Amino acid sequence: MRTLRRDFPLHLMLVPGVILTLIYAYGPMAGIIMAFQNFEPLSGFFKSKWVGFDNFTYVFHLPDFNQVLWNTLLISLFKMILFLLVPLILALLLNEITKKWFSSLIQSSIFLPFFLSWTVLGGVIIELFSLNGPVNGLISLMGLKPILFMLNNDWFRGIIIGSDVWKGMGYNMIIMLAAITGINMSLYEAAEVDGGGKWKQMLHITLPGIAPMLILLGVLSLGNILNAGFEQILLMYNPTVYQGSDIIDTFVYRLGMFSQQFGPAAAVGLFKSIISLGLVSISYYAAYKYNNYRIF
């Protein structure tokens, strides 16, 4: 009670945030009941017909569901790998730059796209890879036929993965650079005395030194394996590339908003949420177990 009285002003400051969280984060969870109903907006939650697990059975037997799940896993997996690999390479290269002003310039340039929304970047990418865009202009100059990047499933999936990595790689790069700066410089001095070059220093000092951070970032990204980038794909895709880029989130959006199948859409959303909850729990437990990382 003494501690509570002492910290009471701090607890009081939390009240608005707690209220907003309850309203906007936990309140909408009541809509989960739609996954077990033949939901009709005019009837509401209490008068809509209860159908049990019929919505789940219906969704799992849709011909597109397996492809949607495969697209989600494939896109997310490539993003997870590249979100670690690309920033790692950039961080190792920037760490070797001796000119501080040049290093800062490169860091700022790489980090800049992180602050731009997909509304802006999506339009830029669509223009770049359109039939009459700069990329096809360069292809034509080389004497090759233009490519319909935004209408080809294979090309479009690569653009989705590559553009997302380009947008977010600066964030992980800064984290890895911070981890590199935390390595004891005497280790590098000792390696130079022993005749170890830059390559061996990177293999035997830098990489082992930032390995815990790499493991932590990799483990924590496991919880987002079913989040393949709803906003990005929604703004850039079209019916022609549904087969290669339609993910769970966009599938739920189209099922609920366009087809008015609110019950099945809620069922897919609940299925994803349960899987994501399990993966997040496993990832945070692993982060705590092997890297002593904890939220609270």
Side-chain angles (χ1 to χ4, degrees):
M1 291 300 296
R2 187 183 303 112
T3 303
L4 181 61
R5 285 194 298 268
R6 185 192 65 192
D7 297 337
F8 182 74
L10 300 177
H11 289 287
L12 197 61
M13 292 172 62
L14 289 174
V15 171
V18 171
I19 293 174
L20 289 175
T21 301
L22 291 174
I23 293 174
Y24 293 106
Y26 289 94
M29 290 180 68
I32 289 175
I33 196 174
M34 286 193 299
F36 306 96
Q37 293 179 327
N38 182 15
F39 182 76
E40 297 178 1
L42 296 179
S43 301
F45 295 137
F46 300 104
K47 295 184 179 180
S48 294
K49 182 181 178 182
W50 185 269
V51 295
F53 290 95
D54 289 353
N55 287 328
F56 292 89
T57 303
Y58 168 74
V59 166
F60 293 155
H61 285 85
L62 286 176
D64 296 335
F65 182 76
N66 289 334
Q67 183 64 43
V68 167
L69 185 60
W70 168 249
N71 290 339
T72 305
L73 294 173
L74 184 64
I75 293 173
S76 296
L77 186 62
F78 272 99
K79 285 184 177 181
M80 285 172 55
I81 295 172
L82 294 177
F83 261 123
L84 290 177
L85 184 61
V86 175
L88 174 61
I89 294 173
L90 290 173
L92 292 173
L93 292 175
L94 283 174
N95 187 53
E96 299 300 325
I97 297 178
T98 56
K99 300 291 185 180
K100 188 173 181 181
W101 67 268
F102 185 66
S103 176
S104 300
L105 177 64
I106 297 298
Q107 287 182 44
S108 301
S109 302
I110 294 174
F111 200 38
L112 181 62
F114 180 79
F115 296 101
L116 299 178
S117 69
W118 276 117
T119 306
V120 175
L121 289 180
V124 171
I125 292 169
I126 289 173
E127 288 298 323
L128 283 174
F129 290 95
S130 64
L131 185 60
N132 298 317
V135 176
N136 270 317
L138 291 174
I139 292 175
S140 298
L141 288 176
M142 292 187 291
L144 303 174
K145 293 182 178 180
I147 301 173
L148 297 174
F149 290 103
M150 307 306 290
L151 298 177
N152 184 288
N153 279 287
D154 295 330
W155 281 109
F156 185 78
R157 185 185 288 163
I159 291 172
I160 287 293
I161 296 170
S163 60
D164 194 43
V165 173
W166 168 64
K167 182 180 185 296
M169 64 186 180
Y171 184 81
N172 280 351
M173 181 193 70
I174 296 297
I175 295 176
M176 293 178 187
L177 279 173
I180 291 174
T181 56
I183 299 174
N184 192 342
M185 293 303 297
S186 62
L187 296 174
Y188 293 101
E189 295 171 0
E192 289 182 0
V193 172
D194 291 339
K198 293 293 184 180
W199 180 254
K200 288 188 176 180
Q201 290 178 29
M202 182 191 70
L203 289 178
H204 299 290
I205 300 176
T206 306
L207 288 179
I210 64 174
M213 181 58 66
L214 292 174
I215 294 172
L216 177 62
L217 292 174
V219 168
L220 294 181
S221 65
L222 177 64
N224 293 317
I225 196 169
L226 293 183
N227 295 322
F230 169 70
E231 182 183 1
Q232 176 199 16
I233 294 178
L234 182 66
L235 290 170
M236 294 172 59
Y237 83 155
N238 56 78
T240 309
V241 292
Y242 279 173
Q243 183 179 358
S245 62
D246 199 18
I247 59 174
I248 290 177
D249 290 330
T250 54
F251 181 69
V252 169
Y253 177 78
R254 290 189 294 106
L255 198 63
M257 299 301 293
F258 295 159
S259 302
Q260 305 297 309
Q261 299 184 64
F262 301 108
V268 179
L270 180 58
F271 165 76
K272 179 198 167 185
S273 298
I274 292 173
I275 301 298
S276 297
L277 176 62
L279 291 174
V280 168
S281 301
I282 293 172
S283 64
Y284 276 93
Y285 175 77
Y288 166 71
K289 186 75 173 177
Y290 299 106
N291 209 40
N292 199 30
Y293 174 85
R294 62 179 69 189
I295 303 176
F296 303 109

Short mmCIF file of all heavy atoms in Angstrom, two decimals, residues 140 247 262 291:
data_model
loop_
_atom_site.label_atom_id
_atom_site.label_comp_id
_atom_site.label_asym_id
_atom_site.label_seq_id
_atom_site.Cartn_x
_atom_site.Cartn_y
_atom_site.Cartn_z
N SER A 140 13.91 -2.06 -72.55
CA SER A 140 13.74 -1.79 -73.98
C SER A 140 15.04 -1.28 -74.61
O SER A 140 15.36 -1.61 -75.75
CB SER A 140 12.62 -0.77 -74.19
OG SER A 140 11.39 -1.28 -73.71
N ILE A 247 -2.91 -13.12 -49.70
CA ILE A 247 -2.54 -13.66 -48.39
C ILE A 247 -3.77 -13.72 -47.50
O ILE A 247 -4.86 -13.31 -47.90
CB ILE A 247 -1.44 -12.81 -47.73
CG1 ILE A 247 -1.92 -11.36 -47.55
CG2 ILE A 247 -0.16 -12.85 -48.56
CD1 ILE A 247 -0.97 -10.50 -46.77
N PHE A 262 -19.52 -12.43 -43.70
CA PHE A 262 -18.89 -11.97 -42.47
C PHE A 262 -18.50 -13.13 -41.56
O PHE A 262 -17.45 -13.09 -40.91
CB PHE A 262 -19.84 -11.02 -41.73
CG PHE A 262 -20.22 -9.81 -42.54
CD1 PHE A 262 -21.49 -9.66 -43.06
CD2 PHE A 262 -19.28 -8.82 -42.77
CE1 PHE A 262 -21.83 -8.55 -43.80
CE2 PHE A 262 -19.61 -7.69 -43.52
CZ PHE A 262 -20.89 -7.55 -44.04
N ASN A 291 18.09 -16.19 -24.79
CA ASN A 291 18.76 -14.88 -24.89
C ASN A 291 18.43 -13.98 -23.71
O ASN A 291 18.78 -12.80 -23.71
CB ASN A 291 18.38 -14.20 -26.21
CG ASN A 291 19.46 -13.28 -26.70
OD1 ASN A 291 20.64 -13.59 -26.61
ND2 ASN A 291 19.07 -12.13 -27.20
#
